[in-house]
Amino acid sequence: MSIDKLAETAADAVADIPDGASLAVGGFGLAGIPWFLIDALLDQGAAQLTIVSNNCGVDGAGLGLLLEARKIDKVIASYIGENKEFGRQFLAGEVTVELTPQGTLAERMRAGGSGIGAFYTPTGVGTLVADGGLPWRYNPDGSVALASQPKEVRSFNGQDMVLEEAIVTDYALIRAAVVDKAGNCKFHAAARNFNPPAAMSGRITIVEAERVVEVGELGPDEIHLPGIFVKRIVELTPEQAARKEIEQRTTRPRPTQIDATPEQPVHS
């Protein structure tokens, strides 16, 4: 019996995501984000969402679109980044933001997908991350409406570590370079960032694939995420697959052949 997890469209893939759902979303900045699944979710209209992601997009792109449409109620992320609307909503008390150290966030999602309930890490010990009091939500007048609670700290081999709970979400939205019909995923370069742990975190994981191949076309060593974590696949068109924007494009001229040649020593 063949395995085929292909959905007809991105809209079909996200159609059952309800109001109040929690979603882990892959990507780092704009690199490797599921552009078309986010757009489809925006059109679908689900609201009061909890988003778990490294950041929350930028103004006018990615998860920033869901923020601007007031579809997000809570964000668990590593940083606010360059998203001015994200910062404005947080300080105005319109969204709850649980800031989490970047490596801790990745491990919380990976642990959730691995069946690990919690783990200890030295990251955050001696800070508000462990001691509590980190503002999560403000009142409109700027006072703190909700703050983090203290976490358990224990010593292992003489080093204090803080207990961090794993994250399991209702859904996960990710993007991959190549996916076979069983859901085995291969990522390209920097897009292999938060996509694997986000995929592991979701109970129902949906991947938008730049290219879909038959089962067996990916070699075992090429698979970065086993298909057991993927429930639905959306195949992108070549035009859609080419969409890979970044926040800020910074370039420099390539060196000429003469410039690239090391200077030769001068002999008298």
Side-chain angles (χ1 to χ4, degrees):
M1 184 175 180
S2 63
I3 299 174
D4 190 340
K5 301 179 180 181
L6 283 173
E8 288 292 329
T9 65
D12 293 333
V14 303
D16 62 346
I17 297 179
D19 290 349
S22 58
L23 296 95
V25 182
F28 185 101
L30 295 181
I33 69 170
W35 292 93
F36 298 95
L37 291 175
I38 293 171
D39 288 347
L41 183 59
L42 179 63
D43 292 339
Q44 189 254 46
Q48 297 177 314
L49 301 171
T50 294
I51 299 295
V52 183
S53 188
N54 179 62
N55 59 296
C56 205
V58 301
D59 294 294
L63 290 171
L65 297 175
L66 291 174
L67 269 173
E68 292 167 9
R70 303 295 195 277
K71 301 299 184 183
I72 299 176
D73 183 65
K74 180 179 179 180
V75 179
I76 302 175
S78 292
Y79 70 104
I80 291 177
E82 300 171 17
N83 193 326
K84 294 180 181 178
E85 177 61 15
F86 188 15
R88 189 203 65 76
Q89 287 190 27
F90 179 40
L91 295 176
E94 298 172 9
V95 64
T96 300
V97 179
E98 181 181 336
L99 291 174
T100 303
Q102 197 166 77
T104 300
L105 178 60
E107 181 60 15
R108 289 179 70 187
M109 290 192 285
R110 192 202 68 82
S114 301
I116 299 170
F119 59 91
Y120 286 94
T121 173
T123 303
V125 171
T127 73
L128 295 180
V129 170
D131 299 341
L134 190 67
W136 280 5
R137 193 173 190 118
Y138 288 96
N139 290 309
D141 65 2
S143 60
V144 176
L146 178 66
S148 64
Q149 295 297 308
K151 299 174 182 177
E152 179 185 338
V153 176
R154 287 181 58 185
S155 180
F156 295 89
N157 297 318
Q159 184 171 22
D160 286 345
M161 298 190 182
V162 58
L163 183 68
E164 292 283 359
E165 294 186 10
I167 294 175
V168 177
T169 58
D170 300 319
Y171 292 82
L173 308 180
I174 68 167
R175 177 164 175 153
V178 186
V179 182
D180 70 22
K181 292 182 178 180
N184 296 303
C185 296
K186 176 182 178 180
F187 303 96
H188 176 68
R192 187 182 173 187
N193 42 53
F194 273 79
N195 276 301
M200 294 176 68
S201 178
R203 293 187 178 94
I204 297 176
T205 294
I206 309 167
V207 54
E208 63 178 51
E210 295 173 19
R211 184 163 64 95
V212 175
V213 299
E214 296 296 331
V215 175
E217 289 190 45
L218 284 175
D221 289 341
E222 294 181 280
I223 296 171
H224 302 140
L225 177 76
I228 191 67
F229 291 108
V230 174
K231 296 295 188 292
R232 302 170 191 166
I233 304 164
V234 176
E235 185 174 10
L236 302 180
T237 67
E239 293 75 21
Q240 290 173 327
R243 183 177 181 182
K244 298 178 182 179
E245 301 173 25
I246 57 174
E247 297 95 316
Q248 296 182 18
R249 185 179 181 186
T250 304
T251 63
R252 63 181 179 180
R254 291 184 180 276
T256 65
Q257 187 64 35
I258 295 176
D259 293 337
T261 302
E263 292 185 8
Q264 298 299 317
V266 178
H267 300 284
S268 56

